[in-house]
Amino acid sequence: MDGAADADSSPMHVVIFPWLAFGHLLPGLELARRLASRGHRVSFVSTPRNLARLPPLPPALAPRVDLVALPLPRIDGLPDGAESTNDVPYDAFGLHRKAFDGLAAPFAAFLDAACAPGGNRPDWVVVDNFHHWAAAAAADRHDLQCLRSRSR
C-alpha cells in the first residue's frame, strides 16, 4: 500500500484495546500509528492514566487516532491509580484483572455509541486475550448489523 487507504474502499475504523500493561499498550499504539498513516481511523481504548502516559502521536496522525478513556472501576485492595500492571504489586494482580473485567460494560457502551446514528461504526475490533468479554460484545453488535462487514 502506498500510505493511503485503497482507492476502491473507504478508510476503515479499527478499535484497538490492549491489555493494561505497557508491553501491550506500546505495540498497540504502534499498530494505531501504522493504520493511521495509511489513512484509517483508529479508536485506541485504555484507562485515563495509561493514555496520559503514552508517548504523543505525531501531529499528522493525531487527528485519525481517538484516545478513548474508560475509567478503571475501583476495587477494594487495589491501590489508587493502579491502572497498569506496572502500578500493581504482584499479590494484587488478581484484583487488577477483576477491575479490568469491570470495563466490559463501558466497552460495550463505547461500541453502542459508535454504532448509533452518526457514529463511526467499527470495521475491526482488536483486543488481547485478557478481554474474554470483548469478543462477545463485538459479535453482538455484528449480529445487530452495527459492525461493518467488508469483503476483500
Side-chain angles (χ1 to χ4, degrees):
M1 214 171 350
D2 66 0
D6 288 334
D8 63 343
S9 67
S10 62
M12 292 188 300
H13 176 206
V14 180
V15 175
I16 301 174
F17 190 2
W19 169 239
L20 305 180
F22 281 90
H24 297 246
L25 290 160
L26 294 174
L29 186 63
E30 180 61 23
L31 176 59
R33 289 171 55 136
R34 290 177 185 225
L35 289 167
S37 74
R38 288 170 170 77
H40 301 295
R41 187 104 182 123
V42 179
S43 294
F44 189 86
V45 181
S46 193
T47 61
R49 186 164 186 240
N50 286 337
L51 293 175
R53 295 188 286 184
L54 292 174
L57 291 162
L61 300 180
R64 288 190 212 111
V65 179
D66 294 320
L67 300 178
V68 179
L70 300 180
L72 193 68
R74 177 77 180 106
I75 300 289
D76 287 337
L78 189 63
D80 288 336
E83 295 183 14
S84 163
T85 57
N86 288 350
D87 307 321
V88 180
Y90 180 77
D91 61 340
F93 271 29
L95 295 173
H96 191 244
R97 283 190 292 276
K98 182 178 178 182
F100 179 74
D101 286 346
L103 293 176
F107 181 67
F110 160 75
L111 290 177
D112 287 340
C115 292
N120 189 5
R121 292 176 16 188
D123 294 290
W124 288 87
V125 176
V126 179
V127 298
D128 269 307
N129 62 322
F130 295 97
H131 303 61
H132 59 90
W133 35 262
D140 289 347
R141 278 132 194 98
H142 183 269
D143 291 344
L144 296 172
Q145 306 288 313
C146 167
L147 298 184
R148 296 191 285 186
S149 296
R150 288 181 173 251
S151 59
R152 294 241 177 206

